[in-house]
Amino acid sequence: MERYDVAIVGGGTSGLTALRQLANLGKQAVLLEAGNTPGTKNISGGILYSKKPKNGRVYNIEDVFGREFIDDAPYERSITQYILHATSKDKLYSIDLTPVHEYQINYAYSVLLSKLIPWLAKEASDMSEKMGGGIISGVHLRSVRWEQGNSDIVIDTDELEPFRVKAVIAADGVNSELAEVTKARNKFSSEQLYQGVKVVIKLPETILEERFKVTSEEGAAHLFAGDVTMNHIGGGFLYTNRDTLSLGAVYHMDSLMDNPIEPSRLIDTLIRNKLVAEFVKDRVPAKKSSQALISKDEEIRQHFMAVKLLKNWNNLRSEYYSRDGIKRLIESGKYGTKDEIESRIAFLENELVEKYNYEFGDNYVELEYSTKLIPDGKRCRMKAPYYKNILFVGDAAGRGVFVGPRIEGLNVGIDDAVRAANAVARSLDRNNFDEQYLGNFYTKSVEESPYTRDMKEIDKDYLKIFLDCSKNIPKDIVGSRYGMIFKLMSSGTLRGIAVGFANMLGFDRLLPLVESVDTYVNVPVELADRLGKTIDSNYVPTTPSLQERIAKLDYNDDSIPHIQVTKPRSEFMVKMASLCPTRCYSYENGNVILQHEGCIECGTCAYETLWRHPRGTKGVSYKYG
Amino acid sequence: MPVRPLNVGVIVKLEPDFSEGNVSYNPDGTLNRAETKNILGPHSAAATLAAFYCKVKYDAKVAIGTMGPPIANQALRQAQLISNADELHLYSDRIFAGADTLATAEVLRLGVSRMNNGLGADIVISGHRASDGETGQTGPQTAWKLGYPFIGNVIDFHIDQEGKSIYAKRFISLYGFYDVIEEIQAPLPVFISADPSYKPSFNTISERLSLARNLNEARNKADNFEKYLQVFNSEGLGADPRYVGLPGSPTIVYKVEKIPKAKAKRRVEFVDGNDTVKLDMVAKKLIQLMTEAPIK
């Protein structure tokens, strides 16, 4: 049996950070990634933070990947605006939370993981290969075992011969199979999870910059609460990427269980909000229905011609609206002036309209539909994130900071990964993998992380900035519900006492008060109704059907279903018929039936099913992430 | 004692690209060879993949050779991209023109002896056959000329470097059954032809790491494939003009004929759907055919 020092399971941002950090420390590690290549299975909301807390230190991605990360990595934009919108029908009340967003940060970049992760993977594997390790893609872990009298871990996969390692870093995400097979923690329940659904929307670069009033490097983030949530606890988000938008809806699973609505409908509702609609709007061609009788051959000929013209139109227009695109087009020699390009675009449009029965109008272009579960760190972080000599990081350990408008997952996982890598390296140096020496050391290190503190208690400085941002909210709206809290928090001296008292109560007892339908729905709706300005827009987006959304995804179907329904009649499973984002479940004759082919591996149904990831290279592959 | 690195030679053939849009025809409907793009044939690609397997698994030295006009370069680049080959050989000379399989085998025999810095090859790999010639003779004839044992239709193999032998699995047909797998051992040096279905598998961590490294190297090498390319003419190979090209080809093409279309054996008879007597006959006929039909 082959032997390696360390195995890392999962090639997401945390796993790759751990691999690189171990290589930085001169240690050998192999990373197993189930996807065809790293970056095909990863989904995130889309902001990566680098932070500088006043008390304690966190490890940021550039601490591991070096200055090259900031200079070369393919992130999207530096987010410099952070705005919360309270919505009610076509009315909107906005609060600028940029100071809250900028609290203790070095930067915040919007990212698309399918672009970013391949870069991280290359950087990490180049370094790791020098230490005799590297990344092995298309491999799915099946189980781990310990042989008697030996602390080495034997790893069984679906694809490779078993091999032996001294320690494992589990970076296999929210639906961690390592946690499942070792029983290191329970499966996350609906009280501990958010379900996030996201679409990536195309929007040409310079149009985007004009619309969001940002420069070529900057970007904006918009959050939404109120009626767009359809009475759920959570909200919508919209982040600007280079030439796309990430638009998502994130809701607490228990509120979705109380009031199950299909994820694609939640996103549709968000898109139809007047402001969001204006944000995503673009010039889009559509084929008019035609009454003219033409032969099949002629129809096919016309179709091919039109497709060719559309492709040309699309490419030229994207280039025209991209940064320095006009300059590049002129330098290529094809066009003499900006006017020439414009008239060419107009010509192509005209051809499509006149000859091929197309019309151009306001609509938007969706590129990718995705879903992910997000562990609510406040409620489900592993108190001791290890099992024997396996260390859990990031989502796998149930860690993330989600407090009000503070949404941080990627950077928390990265911080964990560095701590885990450091702990493992220390154990390798002493050849000591005892729980005391490895697991406890890692737990202590994670407990020291400022992120862990933020999962346990209220940061009163953060709260003060938040309250300052929202000081124009009339007291009577919040008064009936949070009057006491507000009064206490608004005064400098009392705030300290109030926060202290609240922290004594603990998040557990405080959260149901703060995270409620009142906070996320009723107060925002009332705010928008009374103080909001009306958005003047006639544009109603045509949202694609779920079938159209699924059709755009890439699948490599695993003939063996990776999910088994064990309780076809349970209340939970019946709700899955609504909550599965790709409608894999149907309800027939009192039983819930699964068709796994369209599964996008979010894990929403995992709590009451036998749920595994598909075998290596199988399942869905994302192009944006 | 360190084992001497394994030397692998691959002989490949440049073939017309029959994929859509790449084929060019003369007005009379024959293939326009000058205009049609050339690629590494699918069977040659399987052979190249077998060499890549040796590269990944045994850290072998790999040389790839082909006989053809100077435009064969691109096919060799393609082969290098697949196999991470260390040497690319092009055996190109006007006097090689008009060669049949035997004369081609002579050139390839000489080519193999020049491979891997003149050390030759412990394993020579060829494809099953070419998709434009379809004779499947060049491989075995080269093996015969080299004096190596020949194993055809290989689907899997491993090498015992110390014992200097190969253990191979190959498809054979036996008692009318196809796809019977035979396991076979042979001494090195050996000549194998890769079955079209050949697909290497890498099942250990070290192989997968080596796979990633080799894929990376292959990309870098193929970007500068000219650096690895050596062109040999007749003189460079030390060929005897009697055995190469047209003089070395005993095959005589007497006449090329179009293959006539076979006559259809089926007969069509129309039956009126209202005529019960006729329908009864149809049913009887069907039952008879179904009961007599051989079970496959």
Side-chain angles (χ1 to χ4, degrees):
Chain A
M1 205 184 288
E2 291 189 356
R3 291 185 74 130
Y4 293 87
D5 282 347
V6 188
I8 299 162
V9 182
T13 42
S14 305
L16 293 166
T17 301
L19 182 70
R20 175 62 191 247
Q21 177 67 3
L22 280 167
N24 287 351
L25 299 170
K27 306 299 179 204
Q28 179 197 53
V30 292
L31 183 149
L32 305 180
E33 161 60 34
N36 209 3
T37 54
T40 52
K41 294 264 183 202
N42 308 79
I43 288 296
S44 80
I47 298 186
L48 169 60
Y49 283 91
S50 167
K51 312 223 30 166
K52 44 176 181 192
K54 251 183 269 156
N55 302 317
R57 79 160 291 184
V58 294
Y59 296 95
N60 292 314
I61 196 159
E62 65 273 17
D63 299 332
V64 180
F65 286 85
R67 180 73 208 176
E68 289 83 355
F69 176 82
I70 292 161
D71 295 338
D72 303 335
Y75 49 81
E76 301 293 317
R77 288 172 184 274
S78 175
I79 299 297
T80 52
Q81 295 174 19
Y82 205 78
I83 296 158
L84 173 67
H85 305 281
T87 66
S88 175
K89 297 195 186 77
D90 55 353
K91 292 182 95 178
L92 201 82
Y93 180 83
S94 308
I95 306 165
D96 187 352
L97 291 183
T98 308
V100 175
H101 161 73
E102 286 174 343
Y103 177 68
Q104 297 183 343
I105 70 167
N106 296 310
Y107 60 76
Y109 294 148
S110 55
V111 295
L112 287 170
L113 289 185
S114 299
K115 272 160 81 179
L116 181 67
I117 284 184
W119 187 89
L120 297 175
K122 175 148 192 346
E123 294 291 310
S125 71
D126 282 355
M127 191 74 163
S128 185
E129 274 169 26
K130 291 178 194 153
M131 309 303 158
I135 297 171
I136 295 151
S137 296
V139 174
H140 172 241
L141 176 131
R142 196 189 309 137
S143 65
V144 288
R145 56 194 153 92
W146 286 262
E147 285 170 354
Q148 218 168 15
N150 196 334
S151 74
D152 284 3
I153 305 169
V154 178
I155 296 183
D156 292 308
T157 65
D158 286 336
E159 289 79 15
L160 303 178
E161 287 171 19
F163 64 101
R164 201 190 284 272
V165 293
K166 293 176 184 162
V168 168
I169 295 176
D172 49 350
V174 61
N175 302 302
S176 169
E177 286 183 52
L178 270 165
E180 176 79 14
V181 297
T182 57
K183 305 266 176 262
R185 61 161 166 81
N186 291 328
K187 275 186 188 178
F188 294 136
S189 64
S190 52
E191 301 84 59
Q192 297 174 315
L193 289 168
Y194 295 94
Q195 186 196 52
V197 52
K198 182 174 104 164
V199 289
V200 178
I201 291 166
K202 187 179 163 194
L203 190 63
E205 201 169 340
T206 49
I207 296 180
L208 182 152
E209 282 157 14
E210 206 173 293
R211 188 167 298 167
F212 289 90
K213 299 182 179 64
V214 291
T215 66
S216 63
E217 297 299 330
E218 290 170 354
H222 293 260
L223 306 181
F224 301 87
D227 66 349
V228 292
T229 66
M230 298 177 92
N231 285 317
H232 294 94
I233 297 174
F237 65 85
L238 185 148
Y239 304 146
T240 56
N241 302 316
R242 176 124 316 282
D243 52 7
T244 55
L245 303 173
S246 292
L247 178 76
V250 182
Y251 299 115
H252 231 291
M253 269 288 278
D254 48 4
S255 77
L256 288 167
M257 295 294 286
D258 289 345
N259 174 17
I261 293 182
E262 286 184 24
S264 63
R265 267 191 66 207
L266 290 167
I267 209 100
D268 290 348
T269 308
L270 187 61
I271 292 171
R272 292 205 190 98
N273 175 273
K274 294 272 179 203
L275 180 68
V276 178
E278 283 300 307
F279 276 153
V280 300
K281 190 167 81 179
D282 195 13
R283 192 168 167 77
V284 178
K287 186 139 171 75
K288 283 193 284 192
S289 59
S290 159
Q291 299 298 320
L293 281 171
I294 46 168
S295 70
K296 198 79 198 165
D297 285 354
E298 178 59 15
E299 200 184 313
I300 291 168
R301 192 195 68 84
Q302 286 200 2
H303 174 75
F304 276 103
M305 282 306 293
V307 167
K308 205 170 160 184
L309 283 174
L310 283 170
K311 202 175 149 194
N312 288 347
W313 174 81
N314 204 5
N315 289 346
L316 186 60
R317 183 170 179 269
S318 300
E319 185 73 358
Y320 174 81
Y321 284 115
S322 66
R323 193 193 309 178
D324 301 328
I326 298 167
K327 209 173 103 197
R328 271 198 305 276
L329 283 167
I330 291 172
E331 276 169 6
S332 76
K334 275 191 195 156
Y335 303 93
T337 60
K338 190 178 162 206
D339 286 352
E340 254 181 60
I341 305 168
E342 281 165 8
S343 65
R344 176 70 189 165
I345 294 171
F347 168 78
L348 289 168
E349 283 187 15
N350 197 45
E351 284 279 289
L352 282 160
V353 171
E354 297 290 321
K355 292 187 182 164
Y356 301 102
N357 205 24
Y358 273 77
E359 59 185 352
F360 284 80
D362 288 340
N363 216 333
Y364 79 105
V365 181
E366 232 180 78
L367 300 168
E368 188 171 85
Y369 171 76
S370 58
T371 315
K372 172 181 174 13
L373 292 187
I374 301 139
D376 182 356
K378 306 185 292 283
R379 293 183 168 94
C380 66
R381 72 186 171 87
M382 285 169 79
K383 300 280 168 5
Y386 71 91
Y387 178 83
K388 291 190 178 175
N389 38 352
I390 301 178
L391 308 183
F392 291 82
V393 300
D395 278 3
R399 294 169 53 78
V401 179
F402 305 97
V403 186
R406 192 167 164 197
I407 309 166
E408 294 173 25
L410 293 171
N411 44 314
V412 177
I414 287 161
D415 180 56
D416 293 347
V418 177
R419 292 172 193 276
N422 290 347
V424 168
R426 173 176 169 270
S427 279
L428 283 169
D429 288 341
R430 293 280 293 273
N431 198 27
N432 183 349
F433 299 89
D434 288 352
E435 275 185 34
Q436 284 301 323
Y437 198 74
L438 178 62
N440 281 354
F441 179 81
Y442 170 60
T443 304
K444 209 167 141 253
S445 170
V446 163
E447 280 299 306
E448 280 165 9
S449 168
Y451 291 138
T452 307
R453 198 171 55 225
D454 294 333
M455 287 175 228
K456 289 197 291 196
E457 58 190 49
I458 297 166
D459 179 341
K460 66 174 193 287
D461 294 336
Y462 180 82
L463 191 67
K464 179 181 183 315
I465 298 170
F466 179 75
L467 290 172
D468 286 349
C469 287
S470 35
K471 62 175 181 290
N472 291 334
I473 299 174
K475 295 288 172 282
D476 62 308
I477 293 183
V478 284
S480 59
R481 300 176 178 92
Y482 311 109
M484 195 60 189
I485 302 177
F486 246 78
K487 215 177 275 170
L488 287 169
M489 295 296 175
S490 305
S491 137
T493 37
L494 287 176
R495 189 167 56 240
I497 300 164
V499 170
F501 182 67
N503 281 337
M504 258 165 59
L505 268 176
F507 258 1
D508 295 348
R509 263 178 271 177
L510 206 61
L511 287 175
L513 273 176
V514 184
E515 294 192 336
S516 62
V517 174
D518 267 346
T519 323
Y520 286 90
V521 188
N522 297 342
V523 169
V525 166
E526 201 179 330
L527 255 176
D529 277 341
R530 278 179 44 189
L531 299 169
K533 58 177 193 291
T534 307
I535 303 285
D536 194 22
S537 162
N538 296 323
Y539 165 55
V540 181
T542 328
T543 50
S545 67
L546 180 61
Q547 284 75 7
E548 286 170 292
R549 282 176 170 147
I550 294 172
K552 279 194 180 147
L553 295 169
D554 282 341
Y555 290 99
N556 175 9
D557 184 42
D558 193 345
S559 50
I560 304 169
H562 59 283
I563 305 171
Q564 275 180 47
V565 179
T566 48
K567 300 174 184 169
R569 287 164 183 272
S570 78
E571 201 187 335
F572 178 93
M573 290 311 294
V574 171
K575 284 178 180 169
M576 287 306 117
S578 302
L579 292 180
C580 171
T582 49
R583 225 179 274 159
C584 290
Y585 292 98
S586 51
Y587 188 61
E588 280 173 34
N589 306 328
N591 282 317
V592 172
I593 293 165
L594 165 72
Q595 274 179 300
H596 76 281
E597 286 79 2
C599 175
I600 49 176
E601 300 155 39
C602 63
T604 300
C605 61
Y607 192 61
E608 287 199 8
T609 53
L610 288 180
W611 198 100
R612 308 296 305 257
H613 291 93
R615 292 177 294 166
T617 74
K618 305 284 186 188
V620 71
S621 286
Y622 287 114
K623 287 193 281 286
Y624 295 88
Chain B
M1 195 184 76
V3 186
R4 186 178 72 99
L6 188 71
N7 287 315
V8 177
V10 189
I11 55 175
V12 298
K13 189 174 182 191
L14 172 89
E15 290 171 18
D17 182 358
F18 288 117
S19 61
E20 211 181 320
N22 291 325
V23 191
S24 183
Y25 296 100
N26 293 318
D28 64 355
T30 55
L31 185 71
N32 182 345
R33 286 210 177 241
E35 290 290 310
T36 300
K37 276 191 193 167
N38 286 298
I39 52 157
L40 186 72
H43 297 291
S44 296
T48 314
L49 216 47
F52 184 58
Y53 170 78
C54 297
K55 188 95 198 156
V56 172
K57 194 150 180 180
Y58 306 110
D59 206 11
K61 294 271 169 225
V62 173
I64 295 176
T66 187
M67 185 183 93
I71 49 166
N73 287 359
Q74 284 306 318
L76 285 172
R77 192 196 82 87
Q78 224 181 326
Q80 186 170 39
L81 191 61
I82 298 173
S83 67
N84 189 22
D86 306 281
E87 286 179 21
L88 303 174
H89 288 192
L90 177 60
Y91 314 121
S92 190
D93 199 310
R94 293 199 83 79
I95 74 160
F96 296 160
D100 69 359
T101 56
L102 192 68
T104 306
E106 175 65 12
V107 172
L108 295 174
R109 174 184 77 86
L110 294 165
V112 168
S113 67
R114 292 284 185 281
M115 284 177 173
N116 299 311
N117 282 325
L119 288 170
D122 301 309
I123 313 171
V124 184
I125 310 171
S126 77
H128 179 54
R129 57 162 196 247
S131 56
D132 58 343
E134 302 256 346
T135 65
Q137 293 185 101
T138 309
Q141 285 174 340
T142 310
W144 171 72
K145 286 206 173 219
L146 284 163
Y148 293 180
F150 177 84
I151 311 176
N153 290 77
V154 170
I155 53 166
D156 188 18
F157 63 95
H158 72 265
I159 309 285
D160 174 3
Q161 275 174 278
E162 277 174 35
K164 286 191 184 306
S165 54
I166 183 171
Y167 296 85
K169 286 181 189 166
R170 65 166 173 176
F171 277 144
I172 57 166
S173 59
L174 195 69
Y175 304 125
F177 290 99
Y178 292 95
D179 295 356
V180 174
I181 295 170
E182 182 184 50
E183 289 189 29
I184 195 165
Q185 183 191 355
L188 299 182
V190 69
F191 194 114
I192 64 173
S193 83
D195 191 80
S197 68
Y198 174 79
K199 213 178 161 227
S201 58
F202 303 106
N203 296 334
T204 65
I205 296 280
S206 56
E207 283 171 17
R208 289 291 183 105
L209 290 173
S210 167
L211 173 73
R213 202 167 47 240
N214 275 289
L215 284 173
N216 230 341
E217 269 177 34
R219 269 191 294 274
N220 293 334
K221 279 185 189 166
D223 283 345
N224 310 295
F225 78 99
E226 288 99 342
K227 237 176 79 185
Y228 303 89
L229 183 67
Q230 304 170 39
V231 183
F232 295 86
N233 59 15
S234 171
E235 202 181 327
L237 285 176
D240 184 333
R242 288 175 300 168
Y243 299 129
V244 298
L246 211 48
S249 301
T251 312
I252 295 164
V253 180
Y254 164 67
K255 190 180 170 188
V256 180
E257 280 187 22
K258 277 195 175 169
I259 300 167
K261 236 184 178 174
K263 263 192 186 165
K265 281 181 185 164
R266 286 175 299 177
R267 221 156 28 88
V268 180
E269 198 182 326
F270 289 93
V271 175
D272 182 358
N274 297 320
D275 188 339
T276 47
V277 181
K278 281 273 174 73
L279 279 179
D280 197 39
M281 276 168 58
V282 171
K284 277 189 182 139
K285 185 84 187 162
L286 279 174
I287 292 165
Q288 185 199 345
L289 284 173
M290 272 150 69
T291 43
E292 284 174 6
I295 297 164
K296 280 190 180 169

